Amino acid sequence: MRRPGTLWQQVTAMPRARIILYLSLLASYLIVFTVIVRHVFPLWEGRALSWEEAALFVVETITTVGYGDLLPFQSGYTILLAILMIASGVFLIFMLIPLLLAPAISEHLRADPPGVLPSPLKGHVIIVGPGEMIWSLIESLSIADLPIVIVEEQKERAKQFLEHFGKEAWVVRGDYARAATWRNACIKDADTVVVCEREGVAASIILGIRGMTRGRIIAVVDNPTYDRYLRYAGAEYILSPKNTAGKILGRHAAAWRPGETILGSAGDGGEGTAGLTLVSIPITAGSHAAGRTLAELALLEKYNASALFFWKGGRFIAIPAASDRLDVATMLVLLGTAEGIRRASAEVFAGEGDSGEVVIIAGLGDVGKAAGRELAVAGTPTIVIDRKDPAADVVGKAEDEEVLKKAHIEDATTCIVALNNDDTNIFTTLMARNLNPGIRILARANEPASVDKLYLAGADFVTLLPTIGGQAIAGVILSESVRILLDLPDGQKVVMRRAMKRAQASVSRVKARCGVRVAGIEREGRAVVAPGDAEVINQGDVVIAIGDAQALRRFIRTV
């Protein structure tokens, strides 16, 4: 993502860039004049200089230490050249050092974030609050050309933001309670303000800024029960990463039921676009799909559905091959028409044990409760474990072997590990996998470092809370231009965009120009799954594409 402002403002706002700029100018000066002296000295002074002597001449000139054996000069041209070098050297040393180098070194040593933007901004996104979620949000917003400003009042945290996000966003440090802080961040002309602070601080911030901006205010809450209070304070949108993560885990757990689990569709309630549906389906024991390759299933030919990608034993396969073989450790993501996916679910993916589906939910916090609600809607039986809540079916520690056995872990088909502590989640996953090797395990992670550990422990799918939160916020911010359907590993995303350009564009041209994979096109009365290169994208068509941030940015500009 490009930072806003002119090129000079972008460069001079970054200490490291200023140091590199100055050193580049100095090196260029020395090289250029060394070449000049090496070639003109024999002509003007009647004697040749080696490259080393020519470089020495230049250094002696700009440092004014004298020429030694090179004096006296015989030509007036040499004297004029020396005067030019001295004047330009003095300018380089005594003018550019205070302008570029000294402030850069000082700022680098102090690393004090600025208290004001270097130039006015309009239509930008202001982000307030700590944590990994900001990184995920900025990464999700990178598919659009949106300027980003991070406002932080704590000096050390602002330094960290400046170090990590210096190329992606501006950082403004200031007291949240001071109106000047928000004016310095150009809040009046901001498009969106995202407040990720804890609920009490968030309410104070929102009350202070709601009269200063015409932009929408999004509040991110840890506890969904505070929703109404922050709305009263002035937030237009309230998002709970825990609630969203729980919904995703619940929908994954109920995925075997045809058409009931929808991932990142056009609507939040399980509806896709009018003709295309995006679903996650695990391969269950006894199903027709278990043990067969994608070529043998012929999903596109028989059901007008395409396997976009899949997870297998915790490993992500971005571009499935026809020879890829599916097993019970596989979680498949399909794009197709709703009718085609319903038929494929019933004929290909329904397993022998579907009628006896039982899901264990370990942890009755916000994530576990949200997952439970999704499973209740799907009609899936659940057994809930919680160490304190009397509403749980089994009261006790989920990482206790006896407690898991009491919850009938050996007979369960799926286990959702939704505890608040990552270490406990990892140990619970290890124990569940050992007690029931064939169980599907869906886990929650709070820290990025825990994701790989959970997969190694035996989880089939892991949802990272900060990533879910960042994706949900970005979905609201970018909703008018593009919809993020899924965040994938390696920076890949699945997006949906309605074509805005009047000129037609073929799929082959979009792929070649943007570097995206076009997964589907929907137009009135017709849905195209896995369109061929000759398929034409018209204005008004809904296009589903897959790519990294740079490719999707080009896609949004092109379509």
Side-chain angles (χ1 to χ4, degrees), residues 20-85:
I20 293 173
L21 174 61
Y22 176 79
L23 293 178
S24 299
L25 289 173
L26 180 61
S28 300
Y29 176 92
L30 294 174
I31 292 171
V32 169
F33 275 107
T34 297
V35 172
I36 293 173
V37 169
R38 174 72 164 73
H39 287 87
V40 303
F41 208 87
L43 300 177
W44 294 345
E45 296 299 323
R47 54 176 293 193
L49 293 180
S50 66
W51 285 108
E52 294 83 357
E53 290 173 327
L56 179 62
F57 180 89
V58 175
V59 172
E60 288 175 335
T61 301
I62 65 173
T63 57
T64 66
V65 298
Y67 297 105
D69 295 339
L70 294 176
L71 291 174
F73 295 142
Q74 303 298 321
S75 170
Y77 293 113
T78 306
I79 296 173
L80 291 176
L81 177 63
I83 293 172
L84 174 63
M85 291 171 62

Side-chain angles (χ1 to χ4, degrees), residues 473-489:
I473 300 166
V476 174
I477 296 173
L478 301 176
S479 59
E480 294 182 3
S481 61
V482 66
R483 179 95 183 229
I484 300 175
L485 303 184
L486 283 174
D487 255 329
L488 304 175

Side-chain angles (χ1 to χ4, degrees), residues 251-262 270-271 277-282 284 303 334 337-351 354-355 357 377-380 440:
R251 291 174 182 179
H252 270 76
W256 63 271
R257 295 181 179 273
E260 288 189 357
T261 295
I262 311 297
E271 297 296 332
T277 302
L278 190 65
V279 301
S280 165
I281 299 181
T284 56
Y303 304 101
L334 296 181
T337 60
E339 175 59 28
I341 286 180
R342 274 194 291 269
R343 288 195 299 111
S345 298
E347 298 173 15
V348 179
F349 300 107
D354 286 352
S355 59
E357 180 85 359
V377 171
T380 304
R440 288 200 312 274

Side-chain angles (χ1 to χ4, degrees), residues 218-462:
I218 301 175
V220 181
V221 298
D222 189 57
N223 188 340
T225 60
Y226 292 128
D227 178 302
R228 64 185 184 275
Y229 302 114
L230 293 178
R231 286 190 185 278
Y232 180 76
E236 187 176 350
Y237 297 91
I238 310 295
L239 299 175
S240 169
K242 289 184 177 180
N243 188 56
T244 304
K247 285 184 176 181
I248 291 174
L249 291 173
R251 291 174 182 179
H252 270 76
W256 63 271
R257 295 181 179 273
E260 288 189 357
T261 295
I262 311 297
L263 292 180
S265 55
D268 191 36
E271 297 296 332
T273 55
L276 292 177
T277 302
L278 190 65
V279 301
S280 165
I281 299 181
I283 307 303
T284 56
S287 68
H288 178 72
R292 287 179 168 81
T293 65
L294 288 172
E296 291 170 340
L297 296 181
L299 295 172
L300 188 60
E301 295 81 0
K302 294 181 180 179
Y303 304 101
N304 196 23
S306 173
L308 297 187
F309 34 81
F310 61 86
W311 284 265
K312 187 172 184 179
R315 187 167 59 96
F316 177 68
I317 309 298
I319 303 178
S323 59
D324 284 333
R325 192 170 299 277
L326 309 180
D327 58 29
V328 293
T330 304
M331 179 79 74
L332 193 65
V333 176
L334 296 181
L335 176 71
T337 60
E339 175 59 28
I341 286 180
R342 274 194 291 269
R343 288 195 299 111
S345 298
E347 298 173 15
V348 179
F349 300 107
E352 294 176 353
D354 286 352
S355 59
E357 180 85 359
V358 176
V359 178
I360 292 177
I361 301 177
L364 200 53
D366 294 325
V367 175
K369 287 178 180 176
R373 287 192 293 268
E374 290 297 317
L375 290 166
V377 171
T380 304
T382 60
I383 299 174
V384 179
I385 302 172
D386 193 87
R387 64 190 305 172
K388 293 180 179 179
D389 198 324
D393 299 299
V394 179
V395 177
K397 296 180 180 179
E399 67 273 25
D400 188 316
E401 181 176 342
E402 293 304 317
V403 171
L404 287 174
K405 288 182 176 180
K406 190 176 180 180
H408 304 289
I409 188 71
E410 297 95 335
D411 303 319
T413 51
T414 304
C415 180
I416 296 177
V417 184
L419 301 163
N420 195 44
N421 183 279
D422 281 359
D423 290 337
T424 307
N425 283 338
I426 292 168
F427 193 71
T428 302
T429 300
L430 274 170
M431 191 167 291
R433 176 60 68 206
N434 279 272
L435 292 172
N436 185 347
I439 197 171
R440 288 200 312 274
I441 300 177
L442 314 177
R444 156 208 178 165
N446 298 311
E447 300 294 334
S450 300
V451 174
D452 288 341
K453 295 177 183 178
L454 281 162
Y455 278 124
L456 290 172
D460 296 293
F461 179 80
V462 179

Side-chain angles (χ1 to χ4, degrees), residues 503-524:
Q504 294 179 332
S506 66
V507 169
S508 61
R509 181 188 173 195
V510 171
K511 288 164 62 177
R513 185 171 181 178
C514 306
V516 298
R517 178 157 58 113
V518 179
I521 302 172
E522 182 188 316
R523 53 181 62 103
E524 189 172 352

